[in-house]
Amino acid sequence: MASFLLRRLILAACVALTVLTLAFTLTRLSGDLAISIAGPSATDADIAIIRTAYGLDRRLPEQFLAWVGRAAVGDFGESFFFKARVSSLIAERMPITLSLGLTGLGIALLVSIPLGILAAVREGSWVDRLVQLFAMIGQAMPSFWLGLIMMIFFGLQLGWLPVSGTGSWEHYVMPGTVLAFSAIPALTRLTRSGMIQALASDYIRTARAKGLSRFSILFKHALRNAALPVVSIASVQLGFMLGGSIVIETVFALHGVGFLAWESITKNDFPVVQAVVLVLAVIYVVLTLLADLFNAVLDPRLRG
């Protein structure tokens, strides 16, 4: 188990370093940052002052190593637009994004696992085909379009739910549902295929021969083995939700990390953009690592 954990930690560190390098490189490829900060009406002298003040006159390797050194201790610099520490901005807005992501994942699991089990039990029937059609529609549906439709119908016409803000749990229902639709198709199909494979196994036939109840066979024996890949995909989907929440947060005016990233991109606030990309990538890597460890606990064969 120790060697398994060490291998996963080394892989996670390599992924985080790669993302950190890409985030730094892409912001530099977007153009001259000193000109973007100074504005179109700045003189050459103003640009030179800004370039010196922010260390943009140094070579790129020096800038990169300096940023890595600061980022390693949680110092992401100061925002050009918000005039505040980047770490404070992210810490202030992260709870909104985490609440949205966890809400979306919870709704996705509550919908996809029962649908996957139902489709597996009724394999080949009209119920199975209907579930697969629902998954296909959910995968093809644009998130921003579904969000706008829900805002118009449930928020404006029926008045059941608020269309923006984060004042209560009700504010997360619509955006969480929209975010869940991006994960429901994959989780449903994975649960269905895992349950079909498990129900065809020898130990399930043995359980039936012993006279165990249908509920015990489905949920105590078959689902336990079918849930292994679902755990991995669920953690990956949560990472996708946190990283892809920028569209949902913009549509529903939720001032989380995704909305912060959108604001920073439009304002050329590159310290915030770099930090948001790095933080979300680290969260994604940690979630994937935890999923691997959890699967290794459930199935000792994976440790090899």
Side-chain angles (χ1 to χ4, degrees), residues 149-202:
I149 293 299
M150 293 187 68
M151 290 173 66
I152 293 173
F153 185 72
F154 293 106
L156 299 179
Q157 293 186 358
L158 298 179
W160 290 354
L161 296 169
V163 298
S164 63
T166 57
S168 65
W169 64 268
E170 296 176 338
H171 291 83
Y172 292 94
V173 174
M174 282 199 293
T177 302
V178 175
L179 202 59
F181 262 80
S182 62
I184 288 175
L187 294 175
T188 300
R189 286 195 295 266
L190 200 59
T191 304
R192 175 185 176 275
S193 61
M195 286 295 294
I196 290 176
Q197 184 178 1
L199 292 173
S201 303
D202 293 335

Side-chain angles (χ1 to χ4, degrees), residues 30 33 36-37 80-81 263-271 273:
S30 62
L33 298 178
S36 300
I37 297 170
F80 300 149
F81 177 72
E263 287 180 302
S264 303
I265 292 172
T266 58
K267 303 297 182 182
N268 293 322
D269 198 349
F270 78 91
V273 176

Side-chain angles (χ1 to χ4, degrees), residues 25-295:
T25 304
L26 291 176
T27 53
R28 266 57 183 182
L29 291 176
S30 62
D32 192 329
L33 298 178
I35 296 177
S36 300
I37 297 170
S41 59
T43 63
D44 292 339
D46 296 332
I47 296 174
I49 293 173
I50 290 176
R51 186 174 283 113
T52 303
Y54 291 104
L56 298 175
D57 56 339
R58 295 182 292 175
R59 294 183 305 168
L60 286 180
E62 295 179 0
Q63 296 181 39
F64 176 72
L65 292 177
W67 183 62
V68 171
R70 294 194 303 268
V73 295
D75 182 10
F76 300 112
E78 185 174 341
S79 168
F80 300 149
F81 177 72
F82 296 98
K83 303 301 180 183
R85 303 298 299 175
V86 177
S87 56
S88 300
L89 290 172
I90 295 177
E92 179 184 351
R93 303 205 185 190
M94 183 59 73
I96 297 176
T97 300
L98 288 176
S99 300
L100 178 60
L102 292 174
T103 301
L105 181 62
I107 295 174
L109 291 174
L110 288 175
V111 174
S112 59
I113 292 179
L115 286 180
I117 295 175
L118 180 62
V121 173
R122 305 293 297 275
E123 181 185 7
S125 66
W126 66 269
V127 176
D128 185 18
R129 290 191 292 271
L130 188 62
V131 170
Q132 294 188 62
L133 178 62
F134 173 76
M136 182 180 65
I137 294 175
Q139 188 170 15
M141 188 176 301
S143 298
F144 71 90
W145 180 84
L146 178 60
L148 294 175
I149 293 299
M150 293 187 68
M151 290 173 66
I152 293 173
F153 185 72
F154 293 106
L156 299 179
Q157 293 186 358
L158 298 179
W160 290 354
L161 296 169
V163 298
S164 63
T166 57
S168 65
W169 64 268
E170 296 176 338
H171 291 83
Y172 292 94
V173 174
M174 282 199 293
T177 302
V178 175
L179 202 59
F181 262 80
S182 62
I184 288 175
L187 294 175
T188 300
R189 286 195 295 266
L190 200 59
T191 304
R192 175 185 176 275
S193 61
M195 286 295 294
I196 290 176
Q197 184 178 1
L199 292 173
S201 303
D202 293 335
Y203 69 91
I204 294 296
R205 285 193 288 268
T206 303
R208 288 171 178 162
K210 290 181 178 180
L212 297 181
S213 65
R214 187 178 181 86
F215 180 87
S216 178
I217 291 173
L218 287 177
F219 295 97
K220 186 177 179 181
H221 296 278
L223 184 59
R224 179 178 180 180
N225 290 278
L228 287 174
V230 175
V231 171
S232 299
I233 295 299
S235 63
V236 172
Q237 290 294 334
L238 178 57
F240 284 154
M241 289 178 180
L242 296 178
S245 63
I246 179 172
V247 176
I248 307 302
E249 292 183 10
T250 303
V251 171
F252 289 94
L254 303 176
H255 287 214
V257 175
F259 193 83
L260 175 64
W262 177 79
E263 287 180 302
S264 303
I265 292 172
T266 58
K267 303 297 182 182
N268 293 322
D269 198 349
F270 78 91
V272 179
V273 176
Q274 289 179 162
V276 169
V277 172
L278 178 60
V279 169
L280 292 179
V282 169
I283 292 176
Y284 179 84
V285 170
V286 170
L287 290 173
T288 306
L289 176 63
L290 292 177
D292 289 340
L293 295 178
F294 184 70
N295 281 337

